Amino acid sequence: MDVLELLEAASLLVPEEAATENDITVRDIWDYLVHDEWEIALVLLEELGDARSLPLAFWEQLAEAAEELQLERSATWCHWRCSEIRNGVIRADLTLRPAAEARRTTPISGGGVLRPMWDIGRLSPTGGRAVSIAGLWVENMPMLEPGGRATVRLVPLTPSHWTHVQPGQQITMHEDRTVA
């Protein structure tokens, strides 16, 4: 499929009544597509997808279109959303320890690169602490500095480990044995 076909196919998966925060609808996106404003259409479709639950095919088509348009950040985001649909997602408030108190002295990438370990209250067969791995995406920030705080999205590597995690539960991030 070419970019236009991918964007058209994705737009057909969005309910007609859906709108962005700025009241942009699928009809508006079709106007951008008619005028070959593919990048704008892609960004607006991402916004529509972020506002509601849309099927895996929607995000797969957007990812492929973003790759064709060489929009690396958009492609990465769309692939991330595919992972969320496949494995689930946990949104959390993350506060990193300050550089003076932790091993990390550099910012973490916000774009889904980091796959830290998380203490989510599981125990190992011997009764010790067990950690689970989840990918980390920092919302609305390209980087998170040590000591910084942000809303993050976690995609579990093994979703079955995370089924007991409840809203309000405190979990701890580790990049090594120390708390990050």
Side-chain angles (χ1 to χ4, degrees), residues 9 20-21 25 34 39-40 42 46 51 53 57 72-73 79 95-96 99 110 131-132 152 154 169 172 176 180:
T20 67
E21 288 182 5
T25 66
V34 165
E39 187 172 339
I40 294 171
L42 175 74
E46 285 178 24
S53 180
E72 186 177 325
R73 178 105 174 140
H79 284 297
T95 303
L96 292 179
V131 292
S132 296
V152 296
L154 308 177
Q169 179 179 342
T172 308
D176 55 23

PDB file of all heavy atoms in Angstrom, residues 9 20-21 25 34 39-40 42 46 51 53 57 72-73 79 95-96 99 110 131-132 152 154 169 172 176 180:
ATOM      1  N   ALA A   9      -7.132   3.971   4.888  1.00  0.00           N
ATOM      2  CA  ALA A   9      -7.576   2.754   5.574  1.00  0.00           C
ATOM      3  C   ALA A   9      -7.632   2.975   7.085  1.00  0.00           C
ATOM      4  O   ALA A   9      -8.584   2.550   7.753  1.00  0.00           O
ATOM      5  CB  ALA A   9      -6.652   1.589   5.232  1.00  0.00           C
ATOM      6  N   THR A  20     -10.615  15.402  17.978  1.00  0.00           N
ATOM      7  CA  THR A  20      -9.449  15.750  18.787  1.00  0.00           C
ATOM      8  C   THR A  20      -9.857  16.828  19.787  1.00  0.00           C
ATOM      9  O   THR A  20     -10.991  17.313  19.770  1.00  0.00           O
ATOM     10  CB  THR A  20      -8.307  16.299  17.912  1.00  0.00           C
ATOM     11  OG1 THR A  20      -8.712  17.558  17.356  1.00  0.00           O
ATOM     12  CG2 THR A  20      -7.926  15.325  16.809  1.00  0.00           C
ATOM     13  N   GLU A  21      -8.919  17.238  20.642  1.00  0.00           N
ATOM     14  CA  GLU A  21      -9.187  18.320  21.594  1.00  0.00           C
ATOM     15  C   GLU A  21      -9.571  19.606  20.876  1.00  0.00           C
ATOM     16  O   GLU A  21     -10.274  20.446  21.423  1.00  0.00           O
ATOM     17  CB  GLU A  21      -7.958  18.569  22.470  1.00  0.00           C
ATOM     18  CG  GLU A  21      -7.707  17.476  23.482  1.00  0.00           C
ATOM     19  CD  GLU A  21      -6.510  17.771  24.363  1.00  0.00           C
ATOM     20  OE1 GLU A  21      -5.922  18.873  24.260  1.00  0.00           O
ATOM     21  OE2 GLU A  21      -6.155  16.890  25.148  1.00  0.00           O
ATOM     22  N   THR A  25     -12.090  16.310  13.166  1.00  0.00           N
ATOM     23  CA  THR A  25     -12.759  15.024  12.973  1.00  0.00           C
ATOM     24  C   THR A  25     -12.160  14.292  11.766  1.00  0.00           C
ATOM     25  O   THR A  25     -11.311  14.833  11.050  1.00  0.00           O
ATOM     26  CB  THR A  25     -14.270  15.218  12.728  1.00  0.00           C
ATOM     27  OG1 THR A  25     -14.429  15.901  11.473  1.00  0.00           O
ATOM     28  CG2 THR A  25     -14.928  16.005  13.864  1.00  0.00           C
ATOM     29  N   VAL A  34      -7.086  14.738   0.713  1.00  0.00           N
ATOM     30  CA  VAL A  34      -7.420  15.182  -0.652  1.00  0.00           C
ATOM     31  C   VAL A  34      -6.373  16.168  -1.160  1.00  0.00           C
ATOM     32  O   VAL A  34      -6.042  16.182  -2.339  1.00  0.00           O
ATOM     33  CB  VAL A  34      -8.838  15.817  -0.681  1.00  0.00           C
ATOM     34  CG1 VAL A  34      -9.085  16.595  -1.956  1.00  0.00           C
ATOM     35  CG2 VAL A  34      -9.885  14.739  -0.496  1.00  0.00           C
ATOM     36  N   GLU A  39       1.393  14.292   6.122  1.00  0.00           N
ATOM     37  CA  GLU A  39       2.000  14.386   7.449  1.00  0.00           C
ATOM     38  C   GLU A  39       1.006  14.964   8.454  1.00  0.00           C
ATOM     39  O   GLU A  39       0.891  14.463   9.578  1.00  0.00           O
ATOM     40  CB  GLU A  39       3.263  15.240   7.393  1.00  0.00           C
ATOM     41  CG  GLU A  39       4.027  15.238   8.695  1.00  0.00           C
ATOM     42  CD  GLU A  39       5.376  15.937   8.582  1.00  0.00           C
ATOM     43  OE1 GLU A  39       5.919  16.078   7.478  1.00  0.00           O
ATOM     44  OE2 GLU A  39       5.881  16.329   9.641  1.00  0.00           O
ATOM     45  N   ILE A  40       0.277  15.993   8.058  1.00  0.00           N
ATOM     46  CA  ILE A  40      -0.738  16.580   8.948  1.00  0.00           C
ATOM     47  C   ILE A  40      -1.823  15.548   9.236  1.00  0.00           C
ATOM     48  O   ILE A  40      -2.245  15.376  10.389  1.00  0.00           O
ATOM     49  CB  ILE A  40      -1.343  17.863   8.315  1.00  0.00           C
ATOM     50  CG1 ILE A  40      -0.281  18.948   8.214  1.00  0.00           C
ATOM     51  CG2 ILE A  40      -2.544  18.345   9.139  1.00  0.00           C
ATOM     52  CD1 ILE A  40      -0.697  20.161   7.413  1.00  0.00           C
ATOM     53  N   LEU A  42      -1.563  12.328   9.228  1.00  0.00           N
ATOM     54  CA  LEU A  42      -0.994  11.307  10.116  1.00  0.00           C
ATOM     55  C   LEU A  42      -0.993  11.783  11.569  1.00  0.00           C
ATOM     56  O   LEU A  42      -1.437  11.068  12.473  1.00  0.00           O
ATOM     57  CB  LEU A  42       0.426  10.948   9.681  1.00  0.00           C
ATOM     58  CG  LEU A  42       1.176   9.989  10.602  1.00  0.00           C
ATOM     59  CD1 LEU A  42       0.630   8.575  10.451  1.00  0.00           C
ATOM     60  CD2 LEU A  42       2.652  10.015  10.310  1.00  0.00           C
ATOM     61  N   GLU A  46      -3.096  10.237  14.707  1.00  0.00           N
ATOM     62  CA  GLU A  46      -2.477   9.833  15.969  1.00  0.00           C
ATOM     63  C   GLU A  46      -3.239  10.450  17.145  1.00  0.00           C
ATOM     64  O   GLU A  46      -3.509   9.761  18.136  1.00  0.00           O
ATOM     65  CB  GLU A  46      -1.015  10.279  16.034  1.00  0.00           C
ATOM     66  CG  GLU A  46      -0.074   9.481  15.189  1.00  0.00           C
ATOM     67  CD  GLU A  46       1.360  10.007  15.269  1.00  0.00           C
ATOM     68  OE1 GLU A  46       1.731  10.656  16.274  1.00  0.00           O
ATOM     69  OE2 GLU A  46       2.113   9.768  14.314  1.00  0.00           O
ATOM     70  N   ALA A  51      -6.963   9.546  21.810  1.00  0.00           N
ATOM     71  CA  ALA A  51      -8.147   9.946  22.576  1.00  0.00           C
ATOM     72  C   ALA A  51      -9.119   8.795  22.810  1.00  0.00           C
ATOM     73  O   ALA A  51     -10.028   8.920  23.615  1.00  0.00           O
ATOM     74  CB  ALA A  51      -8.865  11.090  21.855  1.00  0.00           C
ATOM     75  N   SER A  53      -9.825   4.188  22.212  1.00  0.00           N
ATOM     76  CA  SER A  53      -9.282   2.867  21.923  1.00  0.00           C
ATOM     77  C   SER A  53      -9.612   2.491  20.483  1.00  0.00           C
ATOM     78  O   SER A  53     -10.784   2.405  20.115  1.00  0.00           O
ATOM     79  CB  SER A  53      -9.887   1.850  22.897  1.00  0.00           C
ATOM     80  OG  SER A  53      -9.388   0.578  22.630  1.00  0.00           O
ATOM     81  N   ALA A  57      -5.033  -2.763  13.858  1.00  0.00           N
ATOM     82  CA  ALA A  57      -4.845  -2.443  12.432  1.00  0.00           C
ATOM     83  C   ALA A  57      -4.671  -0.937  12.213  1.00  0.00           C
ATOM     84  O   ALA A  57      -3.895  -0.516  11.343  1.00  0.00           O
ATOM     85  CB  ALA A  57      -6.018  -2.957  11.610  1.00  0.00           C
ATOM     86  N   GLU A  72      10.355   9.270  11.877  1.00  0.00           N
ATOM     87  CA  GLU A  72      10.845   8.267  12.825  1.00  0.00           C
ATOM     88  C   GLU A  72      10.111   8.293  14.159  1.00  0.00           C
ATOM     89  O   GLU A  72       9.719   7.253  14.687  1.00  0.00           O
ATOM     90  CB  GLU A  72      12.343   8.474  13.045  1.00  0.00           C
ATOM     91  CG  GLU A  72      12.968   7.406  13.901  1.00  0.00           C
ATOM     92  CD  GLU A  72      14.462   7.593  14.048  1.00  0.00           C
ATOM     93  OE1 GLU A  72      15.119   8.041  13.092  1.00  0.00           O
ATOM     94  OE2 GLU A  72      14.967   7.277  15.132  1.00  0.00           O
ATOM     95  N   ARG A  73       9.915   9.467  14.739  1.00  0.00           N
ATOM     96  CA  ARG A  73       9.249   9.554  16.057  1.00  0.00           C
ATOM     97  C   ARG A  73       7.811   9.041  15.962  1.00  0.00           C
ATOM     98  O   ARG A  73       7.351   8.308  16.830  1.00  0.00           O
ATOM     99  CB  ARG A  73       9.296  10.984  16.586  1.00  0.00           C
ATOM    100  CG  ARG A  73       8.586  11.169  17.914  1.00  0.00           C
ATOM    101  CD  ARG A  73       9.554  11.314  19.033  1.00  0.00           C
ATOM    102  NE  ARG A  73       8.843  11.632  20.268  1.00  0.00           N
ATOM    103  CZ  ARG A  73       9.152  11.118  21.426  1.00  0.00           C
ATOM    104  NH1 ARG A  73      10.155  10.299  21.533  1.00  0.00           N
ATOM    105  NH2 ARG A  73       8.483  11.440  22.501  1.00  0.00           N
ATOM    106  N   HIS A  79       4.303   2.127  16.607  1.00  0.00           N
ATOM    107  CA  HIS A  79       4.723   0.766  16.964  1.00  0.00           C
ATOM    108  C   HIS A  79       4.544   0.539  18.473  1.00  0.00           C
ATOM    109  O   HIS A  79       4.157  -0.549  18.901  1.00  0.00           O
ATOM    110  CB  HIS A  79       6.165   0.497  16.546  1.00  0.00           C
ATOM    111  CG  HIS A  79       6.322   0.259  15.082  1.00  0.00           C
ATOM    112  ND1 HIS A  79       5.751  -0.809  14.421  1.00  0.00           N
ATOM    113  CD2 HIS A  79       6.994   0.965  14.130  1.00  0.00           C
ATOM    114  CE1 HIS A  79       6.056  -0.762  13.143  1.00  0.00           C
ATOM    115  NE2 HIS A  79       6.807   0.316  12.935  1.00  0.00           N
ATOM    116  N   THR A  95       8.873   9.192  39.390  1.00  0.00           N
ATOM    117  CA  THR A  95       9.821  10.169  39.915  1.00  0.00           C
ATOM    118  C   THR A  95      11.180   9.483  39.993  1.00  0.00           C
ATOM    119  O   THR A  95      11.327   8.489  40.711  1.00  0.00           O
ATOM    120  CB  THR A  95       9.411  10.663  41.317  1.00  0.00           C
ATOM    121  OG1 THR A  95       8.096  11.211  41.250  1.00  0.00           O
ATOM    122  CG2 THR A  95      10.381  11.717  41.823  1.00  0.00           C
ATOM    123  N   LEU A  96      12.129   9.982  39.230  1.00  0.00           N
ATOM    124  CA  LEU A  96      13.487   9.438  39.272  1.00  0.00           C
ATOM    125  C   LEU A  96      14.228  10.006  40.479  1.00  0.00           C
ATOM    126  O   LEU A  96      14.005  11.164  40.859  1.00  0.00           O
ATOM    127  CB  LEU A  96      14.255   9.791  38.000  1.00  0.00           C
ATOM    128  CG  LEU A  96      13.789   9.148  36.700  1.00  0.00           C
ATOM    129  CD1 LEU A  96      14.649   9.645  35.535  1.00  0.00           C
ATOM    130  CD2 LEU A  96      13.837   7.637  36.787  1.00  0.00           C
ATOM    131  N   ALA A  99      20.362  12.652  40.771  1.00  0.00           N
ATOM    132  CA  ALA A  99      21.652  12.099  40.364  1.00  0.00           C
ATOM    133  C   ALA A  99      22.575  11.875  41.562  1.00  0.00           C
ATOM    134  O   ALA A  99      23.328  10.900  41.590  1.00  0.00           O
ATOM    135  CB  ALA A  99      22.322  13.019  39.342  1.00  0.00           C
ATOM    136  N   GLY A 110      12.876   9.227  26.556  1.00  0.00           N
ATOM    137  CA  GLY A 110      11.440   9.121  26.744  1.00  0.00           C
ATOM    138  C   GLY A 110      10.739   8.312  25.681  1.00  0.00           C
ATOM    139  O   GLY A 110       9.551   8.033  25.792  1.00  0.00           O
ATOM    140  N   VAL A 131      11.591  -9.315  40.093  1.00  0.00           N
ATOM    141  CA  VAL A 131      11.301  -8.128  39.295  1.00  0.00           C
ATOM    142  C   VAL A 131      10.731  -8.550  37.945  1.00  0.00           C
ATOM    143  O   VAL A 131      10.961  -9.664  37.481  1.00  0.00           O
ATOM    144  CB  VAL A 131      12.551  -7.241  39.101  1.00  0.00           C
ATOM    145  CG1 VAL A 131      12.976  -6.616  40.418  1.00  0.00           C
ATOM    146  CG2 VAL A 131      13.692  -8.011  38.467  1.00  0.00           C
ATOM    147  N   SER A 132       9.980  -7.651  37.358  1.00  0.00           N
ATOM    148  CA  SER A 132       9.402  -7.874  36.031  1.00  0.00           C
ATOM    149  C   SER A 132       9.853  -6.740  35.132  1.00  0.00           C
ATOM    150  O   SER A 132      10.073  -5.614  35.589  1.00  0.00           O
ATOM    151  CB  SER A 132       7.882  -7.920  36.116  1.00  0.00           C
ATOM    152  OG  SER A 132       7.472  -9.024  36.892  1.00  0.00           O
ATOM    153  N   VAL A 152       4.276   8.234  32.782  1.00  0.00           N
ATOM    154  CA  VAL A 152       4.905   7.262  31.884  1.00  0.00           C
ATOM    155  C   VAL A 152       3.907   6.181  31.501  1.00  0.00           C
ATOM    156  O   VAL A 152       2.893   5.983  32.174  1.00  0.00           O
ATOM    157  CB  VAL A 152       6.163   6.624  32.529  1.00  0.00           C
ATOM    158  CG1 VAL A 152       7.230   7.674  32.777  1.00  0.00           C
ATOM    159  CG2 VAL A 152       5.820   5.876  33.806  1.00  0.00           C
ATOM    160  N   LEU A 154       3.912   2.078  30.625  1.00  0.00           N
ATOM    161  CA  LEU A 154       4.700   0.858  30.751  1.00  0.00           C
ATOM    162  C   LEU A 154       4.045  -0.239  29.932  1.00  0.00           C
ATOM    163  O   LEU A 154       2.840  -0.458  30.048  1.00  0.00           O
ATOM    164  CB  LEU A 154       4.786   0.404  32.209  1.00  0.00           C
ATOM    165  CG  LEU A 154       5.241   1.450  33.228  1.00  0.00           C
ATOM    166  CD1 LEU A 154       5.205   0.865  34.630  1.00  0.00           C
ATOM    167  CD2 LEU A 154       6.619   1.967  32.877  1.00  0.00           C
ATOM    168  N   GLN A 169      -1.219   1.658  43.438  1.00  0.00           N
ATOM    169  CA  GLN A 169      -0.150   0.818  43.972  1.00  0.00           C
ATOM    170  C   GLN A 169       1.203   1.433  43.638  1.00  0.00           C
ATOM    171  O   GLN A 169       1.427   1.883  42.522  1.00  0.00           O
ATOM    172  CB  GLN A 169      -0.247  -0.586  43.383  1.00  0.00           C
ATOM    173  CG  GLN A 169       0.825  -1.538  43.859  1.00  0.00           C
ATOM    174  CD  GLN A 169       0.667  -2.934  43.266  1.00  0.00           C
ATOM    175  OE1 GLN A 169      -0.395  -3.291  42.762  1.00  0.00           O
ATOM    176  NE2 GLN A 169       1.736  -3.707  43.304  1.00  0.00           N
ATOM    177  N   THR A 172       8.362   0.039  42.016  1.00  0.00           N
ATOM    178  CA  THR A 172       9.696   0.626  42.041  1.00  0.00           C
ATOM    179  C   THR A 172      10.482   0.215  40.808  1.00  0.00           C
ATOM    180  O   THR A 172      10.537  -0.958  40.462  1.00  0.00           O
ATOM    181  CB  THR A 172      10.458   0.169  43.307  1.00  0.00           C
ATOM    182  OG1 THR A 172       9.639   0.438  44.452  1.00  0.00           O
ATOM    183  CG2 THR A 172      11.763   0.903  43.446  1.00  0.00           C
ATOM    184  N   ASP A 176      19.418  -1.538  37.890  1.00  0.00           N
ATOM    185  CA  ASP A 176      20.338  -2.528  38.442  1.00  0.00           C
ATOM    186  C   ASP A 176      19.769  -2.872  39.821  1.00  0.00           C
ATOM    187  O   ASP A 176      18.566  -2.724  40.020  1.00  0.00           O
ATOM    188  CB  ASP A 176      21.780  -2.005  38.499  1.00  0.00           C
ATOM    189  CG  ASP A 176      21.913  -0.695  39.271  1.00  0.00           C
ATOM    190  OD1 ASP A 176      21.043  -0.401  40.124  1.00  0.00           O
ATOM    191  OD2 ASP A 176      22.888   0.031  39.042  1.00  0.00           O
ATOM    192  N   ALA A 180      15.940   3.087  41.065  1.00  0.00           N
ATOM    193  CA  ALA A 180      16.166   4.199  40.148  1.00  0.00           C
ATOM    194  C   ALA A 180      15.127   5.295  40.377  1.00  0.00           C
ATOM    195  O   ALA A 180      15.278   6.408  40.011  1.00  0.00           O
ATOM    196  CB  ALA A 180      16.127   3.724  38.705  1.00  0.00           C
TER     197      ALA A 180
END
